[in-house]
């Protein structure tokens, strides 16, 4: 994954509460188990004029010229609720979103964001609304300092779990995070092989 330290970009305001994963990526848009090929299906039910079509709805925020290259998303409470499908985070990442700022997240979706390089920033609803009022002026999310800096000069801090922050700063997914302890894992396996050789392939004892 691409590490996230500090990013300055446009934030697209999608100020709706309870945006569920089927709205983020409808099930009909999921045609594989891979992480790619989902970008066009992102918010498909809102982004296009008809179900299954690809004619952009000019009223949807991501179809407006000022927000087409947005890397941040501003939204409402309980973002990412509903099904636990990781495809929702994959679709956001493939589109180019680096962070979502919302008053609260579904916990499973929040974890999926971290594992796919998207910063889930929890911020109060009134601050999210203020950031939306300043859009499309670029804002900055600084994960090193755990700050949001608005174009107006206003600054707000945010909190994020230390392991999640470490993963995002270093660009580590769950497997890469585990492999940081490779030496300990190898030492355990070597000792276990000596003690219980019969459970390993090719063992004769």
């Amino acid at each position: 994954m691409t590490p996230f330290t500090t990013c300055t970009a446009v934030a697209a305001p999608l100020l709706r509460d309870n945006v569920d994963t089927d709205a983020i990526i409808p099930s009909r848009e999921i045609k594989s188990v891979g992480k790619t090929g989902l970008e066009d299906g992102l918010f498909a039910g809102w982004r296009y004029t008809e179900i299954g079509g690809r004619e952009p709805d000019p009223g949807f925020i991501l179809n407006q010229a000022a927000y087409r290259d947005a890397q941040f998303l501003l939204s409402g409470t309980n973002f990412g609720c509903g099904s636990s499908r990781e495809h929702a985070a994959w679709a956001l990442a493939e589109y180019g979103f680096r962070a979502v700022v919302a008053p609260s997240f579904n916990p499973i979706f929040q974890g999926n964001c971290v594992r796919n390089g998207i910063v889930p920033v929890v911020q109060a609803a009134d601050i999210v609304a203020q950031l939306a009022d300043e859009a499309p002026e670029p804002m900055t999310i600084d994960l090193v300092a755990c700050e949001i800096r608005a174009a107006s000069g206003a600054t707000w801090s945010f909190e994020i779990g230390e392991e999640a922050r470490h993963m995002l700063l270093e660009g580590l997914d769950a497997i890469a995070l585990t492999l940081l302890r490779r030496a300990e894992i190898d030492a355990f396996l070597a000792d276990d092989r000596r003690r219980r050789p019969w459970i390993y392939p090719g063992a004769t004892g």
Side-chain angles (χ1 to χ4, degrees):
M1 300 190 309
T2 302
F4 188 110
T5 52
T6 300
C7 182
T8 299
V10 169
L14 184 67
L15 302 186
R16 308 184 189 190
D17 293 336
N18 303 311
V19 175
D20 65 38
T21 52
D22 196 58
I24 297 170
I25 179 74
S27 57
R28 65 180 176 276
E29 298 288 341
I30 301 173
K31 299 180 173 63
S32 74
V33 295
K35 292 187 177 185
T36 59
L38 299 169
E39 177 182 355
D40 287 347
L42 180 69
F43 296 120
W46 299 336
R47 193 169 155 199
Y48 305 115
T49 56
E50 60 183 27
I51 299 299
R54 287 294 185 263
E55 179 66 30
D57 181 343
F60 186 63
I61 193 72
L62 296 184
N63 293 328
Q64 297 172 19
Y67 298 104
R68 283 180 189 145
D69 296 321
Q71 294 184 59
F72 304 146
L73 187 67
L74 306 174
S75 199
T77 60
N78 200 28
F79 188 84
C81 58
S83 117
S84 61
R85 68 183 65 158
E86 194 170 357
H87 296 76
W90 295 348
L92 287 164
E94 189 178 28
Y95 185 88
F97 282 113
R98 301 302 316 279
V100 179
V101 184
S104 61
F105 294 88
N106 171 273
I108 294 175
F109 174 81
Q110 191 170 17
N112 286 340
C113 280
V114 171
R115 288 166 176 79
N116 289 280
I118 300 169
V119 183
V121 179
V122 176
Q123 196 54 269
D126 60 326
I127 295 173
V128 177
Q130 185 172 335
L131 291 167
D133 287 342
E134 294 193 25
E137 292 297 319
M139 57 178 258
T140 298
I141 295 179
D142 184 340
L143 188 58
V144 178
C146 288
E147 287 183 346
I148 297 175
R149 296 190 286 272
S152 64
T155 300
W156 300 277
S157 62
F158 63 88
E159 296 182 359
I160 187 168
E162 194 53 42
E163 183 177 272
R165 181 171 175 269
H166 176 65
M167 291 175 70
L168 291 161
L169 285 171
E170 300 297 328
L172 303 172
D173 61 17
I175 294 173
L177 183 68
T178 301
L179 290 177
L180 291 177
R181 306 185 69 173
R182 183 65 178 266
E184 296 173 59
I185 294 168
D186 288 345
F188 170 84
L189 288 173
D191 181 62
D192 193 53
R193 186 182 292 272
R194 284 192 298 271
R195 291 186 297 107
R196 302 187 302 162
W198 60 88
I199 71 167
Y200 290 86
T204 57

